[in-house]
PDB file of all heavy atoms in Angstrom:
ATOM      1  N   ASN M   1      75.117  96.679  81.155  1.00 71.00           N
ATOM      2  CA  ASN M   1      74.059  96.988  82.118  1.00 71.00           C
ATOM      3  C   ASN M   1      74.603  96.963  83.543  1.00 71.00           C
ATOM      4  O   ASN M   1      74.234  97.803  84.374  1.00 71.00           O
ATOM      5  CB  ASN M   1      72.914  95.984  81.989  1.00 71.00           C
ATOM      6  CG  ASN M   1      72.116  96.176  80.705  1.00 71.00           C
ATOM      7  OD1 ASN M   1      72.138  97.253  80.114  1.00 71.00           O
ATOM      8  ND2 ASN M   1      71.418  95.143  80.269  1.00 71.00           N
ATOM      9  N   ALA M   2      75.489  96.000  83.815  1.00 75.00           N
ATOM     10  CA  ALA M   2      76.084  95.903  85.146  1.00 75.00           C
ATOM     11  C   ALA M   2      76.935  97.131  85.441  1.00 75.00           C
ATOM     12  O   ALA M   2      76.935  97.643  86.568  1.00 75.00           O
ATOM     13  CB  ALA M   2      76.934  94.631  85.248  1.00 75.00           C
ATOM     14  N   LEU M   3      77.651  97.621  84.436  1.00 74.00           N
ATOM     15  CA  LEU M   3      78.475  98.823  84.611  1.00 74.00           C
ATOM     16  C   LEU M   3      77.594 100.024  84.933  1.00 74.00           C
ATOM     17  O   LEU M   3      77.891 100.808  85.838  1.00 74.00           O
ATOM     18  CB  LEU M   3      79.303  99.087  83.351  1.00 74.00           C
ATOM     19  CG  LEU M   3      80.196 100.337  83.370  1.00 74.00           C
ATOM     20  CD1 LEU M   3      81.199 100.255  84.518  1.00 74.00           C
ATOM     21  CD2 LEU M   3      80.924 100.496  82.043  1.00 74.00           C
ATOM     22  N   GLU M   4      76.514 100.167  84.217  1.00 78.00           N
ATOM     23  CA  GLU M   4      75.596 101.275  84.473  1.00 78.00           C
ATOM     24  C   GLU M   4      74.979 101.158  85.867  1.00 78.00           C
ATOM     25  O   GLU M   4      74.798 102.168  86.558  1.00 78.00           O
ATOM     26  CB  GLU M   4      74.498 101.295  83.403  1.00 78.00           C
ATOM     27  CG  GLU M   4      75.022 101.690  82.027  1.00 78.00           C
ATOM     28  CD  GLU M   4      73.954 101.629  80.954  1.00 78.00           C
ATOM     29  OE1 GLU M   4      72.820 101.236  81.274  1.00 78.00           O
ATOM     30  OE2 GLU M   4      74.272 101.971  79.798  1.00 78.00           O
ATOM     31  N   ASP M   5      74.694  99.927  86.289  1.00 78.00           N
ATOM     32  CA  ASP M   5      74.150  99.706  87.630  1.00 78.00           C
ATOM     33  C   ASP M   5      75.173 100.101  88.700  1.00 78.00           C
ATOM     34  O   ASP M   5      74.823 100.699  89.721  1.00 78.00           O
ATOM     35  CB  ASP M   5      73.753  98.241  87.824  1.00 78.00           C
ATOM     36  CG  ASP M   5      72.498  97.865  87.037  1.00 78.00           C
ATOM     37  OD1 ASP M   5      71.774  98.787  86.600  1.00 78.00           O
ATOM     38  OD2 ASP M   5      72.264  96.657  86.846  1.00 78.00           O
ATOM     39  N   CYS M   6      76.449  99.761  88.447  1.00 77.00           N
ATOM     40  CA  CYS M   6      77.514 100.093  89.399  1.00 77.00           C
ATOM     41  C   CYS M   6      77.695 101.602  89.514  1.00 77.00           C
ATOM     42  O   CYS M   6      77.910 102.139  90.606  1.00 77.00           O
ATOM     43  CB  CYS M   6      78.836  99.437  88.984  1.00 77.00           C
ATOM     44  SG  CYS M   6      78.912  97.657  89.293  1.00 77.00           S
ATOM     45  N   ILE M   7      77.624 102.284  88.383  1.00 75.00           N
ATOM     46  CA  ILE M   7      77.762 103.746  88.390  1.00 75.00           C
ATOM     47  C   ILE M   7      76.606 104.378  89.151  1.00 75.00           C
ATOM     48  O   ILE M   7      76.794 105.312  89.942  1.00 75.00           O
ATOM     49  CB  ILE M   7      77.831 104.282  86.947  1.00 75.00           C
ATOM     50  CG1 ILE M   7      79.132 103.815  86.276  1.00 75.00           C
ATOM     51  CG2 ILE M   7      77.755 105.813  86.929  1.00 75.00           C
ATOM     52  CD1 ILE M   7      79.217 104.139  84.798  1.00 75.00           C
ATOM     53  N   GLU M   8      75.405 103.861  88.919  1.00 76.00           N
ATOM     54  CA  GLU M   8      74.233 104.381  89.619  1.00 76.00           C
ATOM     55  C   GLU M   8      74.347 104.112  91.118  1.00 76.00           C
ATOM     56  O   GLU M   8      74.006 104.966  91.945  1.00 76.00           O
ATOM     57  CB  GLU M   8      72.965 103.736  89.051  1.00 76.00           C
ATOM     58  CG  GLU M   8      71.672 104.243  89.676  1.00 76.00           C
ATOM     59  CD  GLU M   8      71.432 105.716  89.437  1.00 76.00           C
ATOM     60  OE1 GLU M   8      72.023 106.287  88.493  1.00 76.00           O
ATOM     61  OE2 GLU M   8      70.652 106.313  90.218  1.00 76.00           O
ATOM     62  N   LYS M   9      74.862 102.928  91.475  1.00 73.00           N
ATOM     63  CA  LYS M   9      75.037 102.579  92.884  1.00 73.00           C
ATOM     64  C   LYS M   9      76.044 103.523  93.546  1.00 73.00           C
ATOM     65  O   LYS M   9      75.844 103.970  94.680  1.00 73.00           O
ATOM     66  CB  LYS M   9      75.511 101.129  92.998  1.00 73.00           C
ATOM     67  CG  LYS M   9      75.556 100.599  94.430  1.00 73.00           C
ATOM     68  CD  LYS M   9      76.136  99.183  94.476  1.00 73.00           C
ATOM     69  CE  LYS M   9      75.288  98.200  93.677  1.00 73.00           C
ATOM     70  NZ  LYS M   9      75.830  96.818  93.768  1.00 73.00           N
ATOM     71  N   ALA M  10      77.135 103.820  92.822  1.00 71.00           N
ATOM     72  CA  ALA M  10      78.143 104.743  93.346  1.00 71.00           C
ATOM     73  C   ALA M  10      77.565 106.145  93.507  1.00 71.00           C
ATOM     74  O   ALA M  10      77.882 106.869  94.456  1.00 71.00           O
ATOM     75  CB  ALA M  10      79.351 104.785  92.410  1.00 71.00           C
ATOM     76  N   ARG M  11      76.691 106.519  92.580  1.00 69.00           N
ATOM     77  CA  ARG M  11      76.062 107.850  92.623  1.00 69.00           C
ATOM     78  C   ARG M  11      75.132 107.974  93.841  1.00 69.00           C
ATOM     79  O   ARG M  11      75.092 109.001  94.517  1.00 69.00           O
ATOM     80  CB  ARG M  11      75.290 108.093  91.326  1.00 69.00           C
ATOM     81  CG  ARG M  11      74.694 109.486  91.215  1.00 69.00           C
ATOM     82  CD  ARG M  11      73.951 109.668  89.911  1.00 69.00           C
ATOM     83  NE  ARG M  11      74.872 109.659  88.772  1.00 69.00           N
ATOM     84  CZ  ARG M  11      74.842 108.778  87.789  1.00 69.00           C
ATOM     85  NH1 ARG M  11      73.943 107.798  87.809  1.00 69.00           N
ATOM     86  NH2 ARG M  11      75.686 108.858  86.794  1.00 69.00           N
ATOM     87  N   LEU M  12      74.395 106.903  94.124  1.00 68.00           N
ATOM     88  CA  LEU M  12      73.446 106.938  95.230  1.00 68.00           C
ATOM     89  C   LEU M  12      74.127 106.781  96.587  1.00 68.00           C
ATOM     90  O   LEU M  12      73.604 107.231  97.614  1.00 68.00           O
ATOM     91  CB  LEU M  12      72.407 105.812  95.055  1.00 68.00           C
ATOM     92  CG  LEU M  12      71.471 105.952  93.842  1.00 68.00           C
ATOM     93  CD1 LEU M  12      70.603 104.710  93.713  1.00 68.00           C
ATOM     94  CD2 LEU M  12      70.603 107.202  93.969  1.00 68.00           C
ATOM     95  N   ASN M  13      75.287 106.130  96.580  1.00 67.00           N
ATOM     96  CA  ASN M  13      76.017 105.910  97.834  1.00 67.00           C
ATOM     97  C   ASN M  13      77.373 106.609  97.780  1.00 67.00           C
ATOM     98  O   ASN M  13      78.416 106.006  98.035  1.00 67.00           O
ATOM     99  CB  ASN M  13      76.202 104.401  98.069  1.00 67.00           C
ATOM    100  CG  ASN M  13      74.881 103.658  98.141  1.00 67.00           C
ATOM    101  OD1 ASN M  13      74.198 103.686  99.153  1.00 67.00           O
ATOM    102  ND2 ASN M  13      74.517 103.008  97.045  1.00 67.00           N
ATOM    103  N   PHE M  14      77.349 107.888  97.411  1.00 62.00           N
ATOM    104  CA  PHE M  14      78.570 108.632  97.157  1.00 62.00           C
ATOM    105  C   PHE M  14      79.473 108.755  98.385  1.00 62.00           C
ATOM    106  O   PHE M  14      80.672 108.984  98.260  1.00 62.00           O
ATOM    107  CB  PHE M  14      78.240 110.033  96.628  1.00 62.00           C
ATOM    108  CG  PHE M  14      77.451 110.884  97.587  1.00 62.00           C
ATOM    109  CD1 PHE M  14      78.102 111.687  98.505  1.00 62.00           C
ATOM    110  CD2 PHE M  14      76.068 110.876  97.563  1.00 62.00           C
ATOM    111  CE1 PHE M  14      77.382 112.473  99.394  1.00 62.00           C
ATOM    112  CE2 PHE M  14      75.336 111.664  98.448  1.00 62.00           C
ATOM    113  CZ  PHE M  14      75.996 112.456  99.376  1.00 62.00           C
ATOM    114  N   ALA M  15      78.913 108.616  99.578  1.00 62.00           N
ATOM    115  CA  ALA M  15      79.713 108.766 100.798  1.00 62.00           C
ATOM    116  C   ALA M  15      80.506 107.502 101.129  1.00 62.00           C
ATOM    117  O   ALA M  15      81.400 107.523 101.969  1.00 62.00           O
ATOM    118  CB  ALA M  15      78.811 109.125 101.974  1.00 62.00           C
ATOM    119  N   GLU M  16      80.186 106.399 100.476  1.00 69.00           N
ATOM    120  CA  GLU M  16      80.858 105.137 100.750  1.00 69.00           C
ATOM    121  C   GLU M  16      82.041 104.925  99.805  1.00 69.00           C
ATOM    122  O   GLU M  16      82.025 105.384  98.664  1.00 69.00           O
ATOM    123  CB  GLU M  16      79.875 103.970 100.604  1.00 69.00           C
ATOM    124  CG  GLU M  16      78.707 104.031 101.579  1.00 69.00           C
ATOM    125  CD  GLU M  16      77.753 102.859 101.390  1.00 69.00           C
ATOM    126  OE1 GLU M  16      78.095 101.935 100.623  1.00 69.00           O
ATOM    127  OE2 GLU M  16      76.675 102.880 102.000  1.00 69.00           O
ATOM    128  N   LYS M  17      83.033 104.204 100.292  1.00 70.00           N
ATOM    129  CA  LYS M  17      84.195 103.891  99.483  1.00 70.00           C
ATOM    130  C   LYS M  17      83.819 102.898  98.390  1.00 70.00           C
ATOM    131  O   LYS M  17      83.135 101.908  98.635  1.00 70.00           O
ATOM    132  CB  LYS M  17      85.302 103.295 100.351  1.00 70.00           C
ATOM    133  CG  LYS M  17      86.584 103.004  99.588  1.00 70.00           C
ATOM    134  CD  LYS M  17      87.645 102.445 100.523  1.00 70.00           C
ATOM    135  CE  LYS M  17      88.927 102.135  99.763  1.00 70.00           C
ATOM    136  NZ  LYS M  17      89.981 101.573 100.657  1.00 70.00           N
ATOM    137  N   ILE M  18      84.267 103.178  97.165  1.00 70.00           N
ATOM    138  CA  ILE M  18      83.948 102.295  96.043  1.00 70.00           C
ATOM    139  C   ILE M  18      84.855 101.060  96.072  1.00 70.00           C
ATOM    140  O   ILE M  18      86.080 101.183  96.139  1.00 70.00           O
ATOM    141  CB  ILE M  18      84.120 103.035  94.696  1.00 70.00           C
ATOM    142  CG1 ILE M  18      83.057 104.141  94.566  1.00 70.00           C
ATOM    143  CG2 ILE M  18      84.021 102.075  93.524  1.00 70.00           C
ATOM    144  CD1 ILE M  18      83.163 104.943  93.281  1.00 70.00           C
ATOM    145  N   ASP M  19      84.263  99.888  96.050  1.00 79.00           N
ATOM    146  CA  ASP M  19      85.019  98.636  96.009  1.00 79.00           C
ATOM    147  C   ASP M  19      85.219  98.272  94.538  1.00 79.00           C
ATOM    148  O   ASP M  19      84.367  97.628  93.918  1.00 79.00           O
ATOM    149  CB  ASP M  19      84.251  97.533  96.740  1.00 79.00           C
ATOM    150  CG  ASP M  19      85.090  96.269  96.918  1.00 79.00           C
ATOM    151  OD1 ASP M  19      85.989  96.034  96.084  1.00 79.00           O
ATOM    152  OD2 ASP M  19      84.830  95.517  97.879  1.00 79.00           O
ATOM    153  N   ILE M  20      86.343  98.707  93.980  1.00 78.00           N
ATOM    154  CA  ILE M  20      86.599  98.540  92.551  1.00 78.00           C
ATOM    155  C   ILE M  20      86.645  97.066  92.160  1.00 78.00           C
ATOM    156  O   ILE M  20      86.082  96.659  91.140  1.00 78.00           O
ATOM    157  CB  ILE M  20      87.916  99.235  92.151  1.00 78.00           C
ATOM    158  CG1 ILE M  20      87.815 100.742  92.407  1.00 78.00           C
ATOM    159  CG2 ILE M  20      88.244  98.972  90.682  1.00 78.00           C
ATOM    160  CD1 ILE M  20      89.092 101.501  92.137  1.00 78.00           C
ATOM    161  N   GLU M  21      87.303  96.256  92.984  1.00 79.00           N
ATOM    162  CA  GLU M  21      87.455  94.836  92.655  1.00 79.00           C
ATOM    163  C   GLU M  21      86.089  94.132  92.614  1.00 79.00           C
ATOM    164  O   GLU M  21      85.813  93.343  91.700  1.00 79.00           O
ATOM    165  CB  GLU M  21      88.364  94.173  93.689  1.00 79.00           C
ATOM    166  CG  GLU M  21      88.906  92.837  93.229  1.00 79.00           C
ATOM    167  CD  GLU M  21      90.119  92.394  94.018  1.00 79.00           C
ATOM    168  OE1 GLU M  21      90.892  93.246  94.477  1.00 79.00           O
ATOM    169  OE2 GLU M  21      90.270  91.175  94.169  1.00 79.00           O
ATOM    170  N   LYS M  22      85.236  94.461  93.576  1.00 82.00           N
ATOM    171  CA  LYS M  22      83.903  93.848  93.641  1.00 82.00           C
ATOM    172  C   LYS M  22      83.060  94.275  92.445  1.00 82.00           C
ATOM    173  O   LYS M  22      82.395  93.451  91.800  1.00 82.00           O
ATOM    174  CB  LYS M  22      83.208  94.247  94.941  1.00 82.00           C
ATOM    175  CG  LYS M  22      81.817  93.647  95.106  1.00 82.00           C
ATOM    176  CD  LYS M  22      81.187  94.082  96.423  1.00 82.00           C
ATOM    177  CE  LYS M  22      79.782  93.522  96.563  1.00 82.00           C
ATOM    178  NZ  LYS M  22      79.150  93.958  97.835  1.00 82.00           N
ATOM    179  N   MET M  23      83.099  95.566  92.111  1.00 81.00           N
ATOM    180  CA  MET M  23      82.318  96.075  90.985  1.00 81.00           C
ATOM    181  C   MET M  23      82.814  95.499  89.660  1.00 81.00           C
ATOM    182  O   MET M  23      82.025  95.203  88.765  1.00 81.00           O
ATOM    183  CB  MET M  23      82.370  97.603  90.945  1.00 81.00           C
ATOM    184  CG  MET M  23      81.571  98.276  92.046  1.00 81.00           C
ATOM    185  SD  MET M  23      81.525 100.071  91.852  1.00 81.00           S
ATOM    186  CE  MET M  23      80.294 100.505  93.081  1.00 81.00           C
ATOM    187  N   ALA M  24      84.130  95.344  89.535  1.00 80.00           N
ATOM    188  CA  ALA M  24      84.697  94.781  88.306  1.00 80.00           C
ATOM    189  C   ALA M  24      84.193  93.355  88.089  1.00 80.00           C
ATOM    190  O   ALA M  24      83.852  92.960  86.974  1.00 80.00           O
ATOM    191  CB  ALA M  24      86.220  94.810  88.368  1.00 80.00           C
ATOM    192  N   LYS M  25      84.136  92.578  89.180  1.00 81.00           N
ATOM    193  CA  LYS M  25      83.651  91.204  89.083  1.00 81.00           C
ATOM    194  C   LYS M  25      82.186  91.171  88.679  1.00 81.00           C
ATOM    195  O   LYS M  25      81.759  90.320  87.883  1.00 81.00           O
ATOM    196  CB  LYS M  25      83.851  90.483  90.413  1.00 81.00           C
ATOM    197  CG  LYS M  25      85.305  90.133  90.724  1.00 81.00           C
ATOM    198  CD  LYS M  25      85.428  89.401  92.048  1.00 81.00           C
ATOM    199  CE  LYS M  25      86.880  89.036  92.336  1.00 81.00           C
ATOM    200  NZ  LYS M  25      87.017  88.340  93.644  1.00 81.00           N
ATOM    201  N   GLU M  26      81.402  92.109  89.221  1.00 81.00           N
ATOM    202  CA  GLU M  26      79.979  92.177  88.876  1.00 81.00           C
ATOM    203  C   GLU M  26      79.792  92.478  87.382  1.00 81.00           C
ATOM    204  O   GLU M  26      78.828  92.024  86.766  1.00 81.00           O
ATOM    205  CB  GLU M  26      79.291  93.255  89.717  1.00 81.00           C
ATOM    206  CG  GLU M  26      79.161  92.899  91.190  1.00 81.00           C
ATOM    207  CD  GLU M  26      78.538  94.019  92.004  1.00 81.00           C
ATOM    208  OE1 GLU M  26      78.185  95.064  91.401  1.00 81.00           O
ATOM    209  OE2 GLU M  26      78.396  93.866  93.230  1.00 81.00           O
ATOM    210  N   CYS M  27      80.746  93.240  86.826  1.00 79.00           N
ATOM    211  CA  CYS M  27      80.656  93.612  85.404  1.00 79.00           C
ATOM    212  C   CYS M  27      81.363  92.608  84.498  1.00 79.00           C
ATOM    213  O   CYS M  27      81.413  92.787  83.275  1.00 79.00           O
ATOM    214  CB  CYS M  27      81.263  94.999  85.189  1.00 79.00           C
ATOM    215  SG  CYS M  27      80.406  96.310  86.055  1.00 79.00           S
ATOM    216  N   LYS M  28      81.975  91.571  85.120  1.00 76.00           N
ATOM    217  CA  LYS M  28      82.732  90.556  84.374  1.00 76.00           C
ATOM    218  C   LYS M  28      83.882  91.200  83.602  1.00 76.00           C
ATOM    219  O   LYS M  28      84.154  90.881  82.440  1.00 76.00           O
ATOM    220  CB  LYS M  28      81.810  89.789  83.414  1.00 76.00           C
ATOM    221  CG  LYS M  28      80.699  89.033  84.124  1.00 76.00           C
ATOM    222  CD  LYS M  28      79.786  88.303  83.155  1.00 76.00           C
ATOM    223  CE  LYS M  28      78.666  87.579  83.888  1.00 76.00           C
ATOM    224  NZ  LYS M  28      77.739  86.889  82.960  1.00 76.00           N
ATOM    225  N   LEU M  29      84.563  92.147  84.270  1.00 76.00           N
ATOM    226  CA  LEU M  29      85.698  92.846  83.689  1.00 76.00           C
ATOM    227  C   LEU M  29      86.881  92.717  84.643  1.00 76.00           C
ATOM    228  O   LEU M  29      86.707  92.488  85.836  1.00 76.00           O
ATOM    229  CB  LEU M  29      85.382  94.338  83.480  1.00 76.00           C
ATOM    230  CG  LEU M  29      84.249  94.698  82.530  1.00 76.00           C
ATOM    231  CD1 LEU M  29      83.927  96.182  82.666  1.00 76.00           C
ATOM    232  CD2 LEU M  29      84.612  94.369  81.080  1.00 76.00           C
ATOM    233  N   SER M  30      88.094  92.896  84.109  1.00 74.00           N
ATOM    234  CA  SER M  30      89.254  92.974  84.988  1.00 74.00           C
ATOM    235  C   SER M  30      89.210  94.341  85.676  1.00 74.00           C
ATOM    236  O   SER M  30      88.464  95.238  85.267  1.00 74.00           O
ATOM    237  CB  SER M  30      90.553  92.838  84.184  1.00 74.00           C
ATOM    238  OG  SER M  30      90.768  94.001  83.400  1.00 74.00           O
ATOM    239  N   LYS M  31      90.012  94.492  86.709  1.00 75.00           N
ATOM    240  CA  LYS M  31      89.985  95.739  87.466  1.00 75.00           C
ATOM    241  C   LYS M  31      90.349  96.942  86.588  1.00 75.00           C
ATOM    242  O   LYS M  31      89.701  97.983  86.633  1.00 75.00           O
ATOM    243  CB  LYS M  31      90.957  95.645  88.646  1.00 75.00           C
ATOM    244  CG  LYS M  31      90.820  96.805  89.633  1.00 75.00           C
ATOM    245  CD  LYS M  31      91.904  96.773  90.699  1.00 75.00           C
ATOM    246  CE  LYS M  31      91.783  95.571  91.608  1.00 75.00           C
ATOM    247  NZ  LYS M  31      92.781  95.620  92.712  1.00 75.00           N
ATOM    248  N   PHE M  32      91.399  96.775  85.762  1.00 72.00           N
ATOM    249  CA  PHE M  32      91.821  97.930  84.973  1.00 72.00           C
ATOM    250  C   PHE M  32      90.845  98.211  83.826  1.00 72.00           C
ATOM    251  O   PHE M  32      90.659  99.362  83.426  1.00 72.00           O
ATOM    252  CB  PHE M  32      93.267  97.755  84.482  1.00 72.00           C
ATOM    253  CG  PHE M  32      93.435  97.097  83.152  1.00 72.00           C
ATOM    254  CD1 PHE M  32      93.469  97.844  81.999  1.00 72.00           C
ATOM    255  CD2 PHE M  32      93.612  95.724  83.057  1.00 72.00           C
ATOM    256  CE1 PHE M  32      93.652  97.233  80.774  1.00 72.00           C
ATOM    257  CE2 PHE M  32      93.799  95.118  81.837  1.00 72.00           C
ATOM    258  CZ  PHE M  32      93.816  95.882  80.692  1.00 72.00           C
ATOM    259  N   GLN M  33      90.188  97.170  83.289  1.00 74.00           N
ATOM    260  CA  GLN M  33      89.166  97.414  82.274  1.00 74.00           C
ATOM    261  C   GLN M  33      87.991  98.163  82.884  1.00 74.00           C
ATOM    262  O   GLN M  33      87.436  99.078  82.271  1.00 74.00           O
ATOM    263  CB  GLN M  33      88.678  96.092  81.682  1.00 74.00           C
ATOM    264  CG  GLN M  33      89.633  95.468  80.682  1.00 74.00           C
ATOM    265  CD  GLN M  33      89.110  94.143  80.164  1.00 74.00           C
ATOM    266  OE1 GLN M  33      88.578  93.331  80.922  1.00 74.00           O
ATOM    267  NE2 GLN M  33      89.234  93.916  78.869  1.00 74.00           N
ATOM    268  N   PHE M  34      87.618  97.795  84.110  1.00 79.00           N
ATOM    269  CA  PHE M  34      86.513  98.474  84.792  1.00 79.00           C
ATOM    270  C   PHE M  34      86.826  99.957  84.989  1.00 79.00           C
ATOM    271  O   PHE M  34      85.986 100.823  84.721  1.00 79.00           O
ATOM    272  CB  PHE M  34      86.241  97.813  86.147  1.00 79.00           C
ATOM    273  CG  PHE M  34      85.192  98.527  86.952  1.00 79.00           C
ATOM    274  CD1 PHE M  34      83.842  98.377  86.659  1.00 79.00           C
ATOM    275  CD2 PHE M  34      85.561  99.363  88.000  1.00 79.00           C
ATOM    276  CE1 PHE M  34      82.868  99.052  87.394  1.00 79.00           C
ATOM    277  CE2 PHE M  34      84.605 100.037  88.733  1.00 79.00           C
ATOM    278  CZ  PHE M  34      83.253  99.884  88.432  1.00 79.00           C
ATOM    279  N   ILE M  35      88.051 100.247  85.448  1.00 80.00           N
ATOM    280  CA  ILE M  35      88.451 101.643  85.658  1.00 80.00           C
ATOM    281  C   ILE M  35      88.398 102.415  84.347  1.00 80.00           C
ATOM    282  O   ILE M  35      87.908 103.550  84.282  1.00 80.00           O
ATOM    283  CB  ILE M  35      89.876 101.711  86.255  1.00 80.00           C
ATOM    284  CG1 ILE M  35      89.882 101.116  87.661  1.00 80.00           C
ATOM    285  CG2 ILE M  35      90.383 103.150  86.297  1.00 80.00           C
ATOM    286  CD1 ILE M  35      91.262 100.945  88.254  1.00 80.00           C
ATOM    287  N   ARG M  36      88.876 101.769  83.290  1.00 76.00           N
ATOM    288  CA  ARG M  36      88.906 102.418  81.975  1.00 76.00           C
ATOM    289  C   ARG M  36      87.488 102.715  81.479  1.00 76.00           C
ATOM    290  O   ARG M  36      87.189 103.820  81.033  1.00 76.00           O
ATOM    291  CB  ARG M  36      89.639 101.521  80.976  1.00 76.00           C
ATOM    292  CG  ARG M  36      89.688 102.061  79.560  1.00 76.00           C
ATOM    293  CD  ARG M  36      90.505 101.136  78.671  1.00 76.00           C
ATOM    294  NE  ARG M  36      90.459 101.602  77.308  1.00 76.00           N
ATOM    295  CZ  ARG M  36      89.496 101.304  76.454  1.00 76.00           C
ATOM    296  NH1 ARG M  36      88.492 100.540  76.852  1.00 76.00           N
ATOM    297  NH2 ARG M  36      89.516 101.763  75.223  1.00 76.00           N
TER     298      ARG M  36
END
């Protein structure tokens, strides 16, 4: 659910730089797992 929320957040704020490390922590994933 957190991953889907992050994707939706990125979609709504497409002009902003994505903070991968912050989003990965929100999803309780490592950075490379989040990217994958």
Side-chain angles (χ1 to χ4, degrees):
N1 289 338
L3 179 59
E4 291 177 358
D5 288 344
C6 285
I7 293 173
E8 182 63 20
K9 187 184 299 182
R11 185 180 292 119
L12 294 174
N13 301 282
F14 62 90
E16 298 180 9
K17 183 179 179 181
I18 293 179
D19 189 332
I20 298 176
E21 197 162 329
K22 180 180 178 181
M23 288 186 170
K25 287 181 179 179
E26 290 177 1
C27 297
K28 299 179 181 178
L29 298 169
S30 71
K31 190 187 294 185
F32 91 90
Q33 283 178 318
F34 175 78
I35 294 171
R36 178 177 176 275

